[in-house]
Amino acid sequence: MKDRPAMATQTVMIKNERVRVSEWRFSDGAETGHHRHEYDYIVVPMTTGDLKMVENDGSENIASLAKGRPYFRSKGVEHNVINASGGDFAFIEIELL
């Protein structure tokens, strides 16, 4: 039987009627599991490293992220995010509700 991958951990830090701010922490190889973003969101990496994005259609790409360099994505994104950094990785996700 194939081992299940480690899962990333989400800690919701702020949640109100306008935003949800979560800290995501990944051990080496950990993943979020396939999910769909219901809101526009901003990611602010807390570390530098690579994340593998497995899109809804099965395509894969590597996002090289730098500590403190945010990026924005629109709602509707469907993917699984996997830590491909070779060590721990963390980011803050800010969802615009």
Side-chain angles (χ1 to χ4, degrees), residues 24-71:
W24 283 92
R25 293 203 165 268
F26 297 73
S27 59
D28 186 27
E31 60 186 66
T32 59
H34 186 82
H35 61 282
R36 182 178 198 277
H37 287 268
E38 300 297 326
Y39 305 101
D40 292 345
Y41 65 101
I42 299 154
V43 169
V44 183
M46 297 169 60
T47 51
T48 295
D50 295 331
L51 295 178
K52 179 165 64 169
M53 308 292 185
V54 181
E55 305 298 334
N56 196 37
D57 65 3
S59 64
E60 298 181 2
N61 63 71
I62 297 291
S64 294
L65 305 179
K67 180 179 178 180
R69 277 218 160 136
Y71 70 86

Side-chain angles (χ1 to χ4, degrees), residues 14-29:
I14 298 170
K15 184 175 180 184
N16 60 40
E17 65 282 348
R18 297 178 63 196
V19 300
R20 177 172 47 210
V21 179
S22 299
E23 178 185 73
W24 283 92
R25 293 203 165 268
F26 297 73
S27 59
D28 186 27

Side-chain angles (χ1 to χ4, degrees), residues 74-85:
S74 297
K75 68 181 178 180
V77 173
E78 292 187 49
H79 58 193
N80 182 18
V81 179
I82 303 166
N83 179 8
S85 296

